[in-house]
């Protein structure tokens, strides 16, 4: 697994990713990882954030969340240039406030290794747009990501993405480019979807936990034997 998070250089997210880094948990337990931010940030253990080019102001999406697609288009471009993702089976984009249990995630993704797939993780509603891939944890196979990098410009031209959140754009773009979606509601327990029960012994991630205390409270509950 190649895992990355995007975090703001000001605010609680710096402390959150620093605490995870110091304990080698979350994305830092993946085979390789990257951090991306709006400016060059140096963290403990010699870790330095890759810089996302400016994207301008972020509006509100049609769903009332951040219309942050352009920011993440730039972030995915930074990941492409970094190139380390190509050596792995899956690329994972995890929000800093998502409590990620890497061993569980590996187990869930292993049957899909080598396929052109991405994981939809929320079935909160019925309808043609559901289930969908919520952005707190995006799991995309390397084959699917190769297709995205080859066809992203086509998605920008054909999709009405300007009022979308980045997860809605990415899911629709991957589908447009021929990737298959698999649904696994246990990839993440998300309070924005069907709820986060850190003690369920099943989910590979939980969201959102926005302080180090809350994050590790959930993490410690999740790994309790």
């Amino acid at each position: 697994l190649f895992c990355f998070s995007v975090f703001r250089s000001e605010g609680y997210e710096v402390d959150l990713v620093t605490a995870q880094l110091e304990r080698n948990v979350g994305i830092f337990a993946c085979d390789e990882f990257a951090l991306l931010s709006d400016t060059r940030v140096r963290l403990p253990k010699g870790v330095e954030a890759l810089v996302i080019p400016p994207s301008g102001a972020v509006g509100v999406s049609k769903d009332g969340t951040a219309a942050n697609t352009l920011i993440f288009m730039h972030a995915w471009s930074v990941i492409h240039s970094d190139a380390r993702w190509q050596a792995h089976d899956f690329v994972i984009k995890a929000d800093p406030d998502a409590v990620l249990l890497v061993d569980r995630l590996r187990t869930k993704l292993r049957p899909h290794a080598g396929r052109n797939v991405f994981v939809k993780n929320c079935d909160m509603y019925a309808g043609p747009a559901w289930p969908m891939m919520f952005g707190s944890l995006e799991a995309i196979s390397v084959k699917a990501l190769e297709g995205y990098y080859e066809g992203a410009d086509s998605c920008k031209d054909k999709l009405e993405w300007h009022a979308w959140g980045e997860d809605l754009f990415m899911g629709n773009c991957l589908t447009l480019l021929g990737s298959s979606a698999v649904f696994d509601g246990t990839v993440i327990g998300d309070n924005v979807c069907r709820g986060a029960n850190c003690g369920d012994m099943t989910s590979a991630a939980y969201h959102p936990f926005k302080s180090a205390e809350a994050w590790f409270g959930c993490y410690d509950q999740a790994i309790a034997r």
Side-chain angles (χ1 to χ4, degrees):
L1 301 181
F2 179 84
C3 304
F4 76 95
S5 290
V6 175
F7 71 99
R8 298 176 182 87
S9 61
E10 297 181 356
Y12 73 91
E13 291 178 336
V14 178
D15 293 336
L16 200 51
V17 297
T18 299
Q20 295 166 38
L21 172 60
E22 288 176 337
R23 282 181 56 175
N24 295 317
V25 294
I27 68 165
F28 305 106
C30 295
D31 299 288
E32 286 193 278
F33 65 83
L35 288 170
L36 284 68
S37 191
D38 51 278
T39 189
R40 196 166 297 281
V41 180
R42 290 180 173 85
L43 296 168
K45 302 184 179 182
V47 173
E48 190 169 298
L50 304 173
V51 179
I52 304 172
S55 303
V58 175
V60 177
S61 76
K62 66 185 183 69
D63 301 313
T65 58
N68 56 358
T69 297
L70 188 57
I71 292 173
F72 279 89
M73 285 179 181
H74 291 166
W76 283 108
S77 293
V78 171
I79 293 298
H80 181 258
S81 298
D82 180 74
R84 289 178 293 157
W85 61 275
Q86 297 175 76
H88 302 275
D89 294 313
F90 273 85
V91 177
I92 309 301
K93 177 239 149 185
D95 284 353
D97 58 353
V99 180
L100 175 61
L101 303 176
V102 172
D103 287 344
R104 288 187 194 174
L105 186 58
R106 282 197 185 99
T107 300
K108 295 177 188 298
L109 296 179
R110 189 170 290 120
H112 308 298
R115 298 178 57 199
N116 180 4
V117 298
F118 67 101
V119 180
K120 293 185 175 182
N121 54 26
C122 181
D123 62 347
M124 183 165 52
Y125 300 110
W130 297 87
M132 68 173 285
M133 178 173 66
F134 269 26
S136 49
L137 185 77
E138 298 176 12
I140 302 171
S141 75
V142 165
K143 285 191 175 181
L145 196 55
E146 287 171 348
Y148 168 75
Y149 287 131
E150 291 172 5
D153 287 342
S154 176
C155 291
K156 294 175 189 176
D157 293 339
K158 295 178 180 178
L159 297 175
E160 300 292 331
W161 56 268
H162 292 85
W164 291 358
E166 58 85 19
D167 47 5
L168 182 59
F169 167 76
M170 200 65 175
N172 278 278
C173 180
L174 291 169
T175 299
L176 178 66
L177 297 174
S179 296
S180 298
V182 295
F183 173 72
D184 187 342
T186 69
V187 163
I188 187 164
D190 197 329
N191 276 330
V192 184
C193 184
R194 290 189 174 274
N197 174 10
C198 300
D200 65 10
M201 304 304 292
T202 299
S203 299
Y206 306 92
H207 174 264
F209 295 88
K210 295 184 179 297
S211 69
E213 181 180 7
W215 199 100
F216 281 103
C218 178
Y219 178 83
D220 290 340
Q221 182 183 358
I223 65 170
R225 296 293 185 265

